[in-house]
Amino acid sequence: MTGWVQVAGLGPGDDGMITQEVRDAITEATDIVGYIPYVRRIAPRDGLTLHETDNRVELDRAKHALEMASDGKRVVVVSSGDPGVFAMASALFEALEAGSPEWLDLDIRILPGITAMLAAAARLGAPLGHDFCAINLSDNLKPWDLIEKRLRLAAQAGFAMAFYNPRSKSRPHQFGRALEILREEYGSRTLISFAKDVTKPSQSLTTVPLGDALPEMADMRTVVIVGNKDTRKVGRFVYTPRSAE
């Protein structure tokens, strides 16, 4: 039996947003590897082994997947959203680069998924309708000084921005600093949206001017989207025009 590894995105939460390509891979898999809540989205069945791991062992998880594939297993590494956006695809290639040369001959595929950022934007309207960037506000894998620099430069360039991991219990004050930087560069009238539990029954959407935004409006279940100077509301929708002044 020839083994393989496929890194799959499960989308933002609603099972209806899992692509058919990902469903087919899960059906063919002998092993599922991933962070505990993502693995628990996969229904158990005969012939399938579920490997749950903690959130901060990405490289160990990727190495384990590659080892199993080299032993002939059909392995799906699951991520939320899209596996190439702050998720497991990059970790897998990092483990591949540091691992056995024989792993380079494995059948490795990345299966895209719908990101929380894009799902949130669709629920809001089209706040990412022109040039935009995505920034992970967690400083677990990069220094906070670098995050501040990227925030400021992206704002100066006029990008709309989507923020992942905006505020956690271990770093409750950093998002407040991010809001300060955005106000310094964009002013207080630029629109900012908070999409919590997007696509889930508990989904909530809130859009306010930057001047009214509070750090407590975001947590780890929230995707934050800040527009640029052209972003505006039409009825209940938020959108950024495709043309720029």
Side-chain angles (χ1 to χ4, degrees):
M1 180 175 63
T2 302
W4 47 252
V5 178
Q6 300 191 36
V7 189
L10 298 179
D14 185 338
D15 286 347
M17 289 193 167
I18 301 175
T19 69
Q20 188 59 49
E21 182 182 40
V22 170
R23 293 182 189 277
D24 291 344
I26 291 170
T27 298
E28 297 175 18
T30 60
D31 295 81
I32 302 291
V33 178
Y35 179 39
I36 296 167
Y38 307 151
V39 173
R40 291 184 180 177
R41 292 180 60 184
I42 308 302
R45 59 170 168 79
D46 291 342
L48 180 66
T49 303
L50 304 177
H51 305 266
E52 300 178 350
T53 53
D54 189 68
N55 196 30
R56 297 197 180 189
V57 293
E58 288 91 349
L59 289 179
D60 291 340
R61 183 187 305 148
K63 181 181 177 183
H64 185 208
L66 291 164
E67 289 171 342
M68 288 193 293
S70 67
D71 289 336
K73 301 291 183 69
R74 301 186 299 274
V75 185
V76 174
V77 181
V78 291
S79 294
S80 66
D82 180 280
V85 179
F86 308 125
M88 279 302 301
S90 181
L92 185 93
F93 291 123
E94 188 174 348
L96 181 68
E97 184 177 21
S100 170
E102 296 177 354
W103 291 352
L104 295 171
D105 295 325
L106 288 170
D107 181 1
I108 298 173
R109 304 180 190 183
I110 309 301
L111 309 183
I114 298 171
T115 70
M117 167 184 67
L118 297 181
R123 292 293 195 269
L124 290 162
L128 304 179
H130 197 39
D131 296 337
F132 70 91
C133 65
I135 300 177
N136 189 334
L137 295 186
S138 170
D139 61 354
N140 287 335
L141 298 174
K142 61 181 181 288
W144 178 253
D145 287 349
L146 178 60
I147 295 173
E148 286 201 11
K149 179 180 180 180
R150 289 177 174 173
L151 279 172
R152 194 173 296 280
L153 292 177
Q156 290 174 1
F159 287 108
M161 291 178 250
F163 301 137
Y164 283 75
N165 301 318
R167 184 172 179 269
S168 70
K169 292 180 180 179
S170 63
R171 44 183 181 82
H173 308 299
Q174 292 173 346
F175 185 59
R177 175 57 183 154
L179 290 174
E180 290 176 1
I181 293 170
L182 292 171
R183 291 186 188 110
E184 290 170 9
E185 300 296 339
Y186 275 150
S188 61
R189 298 177 64 183
T190 297
L191 295 178
I192 184 169
S193 298
F194 299 84
K196 185 172 182 177
D197 291 340
V198 67
T199 79
K200 300 175 183 178
S202 54
Q203 171 183 289
S204 65
L205 305 173
T206 304
T207 300
V208 297
L210 267 172
D212 295 337
L214 301 172
E216 295 77 16
M217 298 171 79
D219 60 19
M220 291 294 283
R221 292 155 50 199
T222 307
V223 175
V224 179
I225 297 180
V226 59
N228 61 23
K229 63 181 178 61
D230 299 314
T231 303
R232 48 191 180 262
K233 293 192 74 174
V234 52
R236 69 180 187 276
F237 299 108
V238 181
Y239 85 103
T240 301
R242 292 179 296 164
S243 58
E245 297 179 1

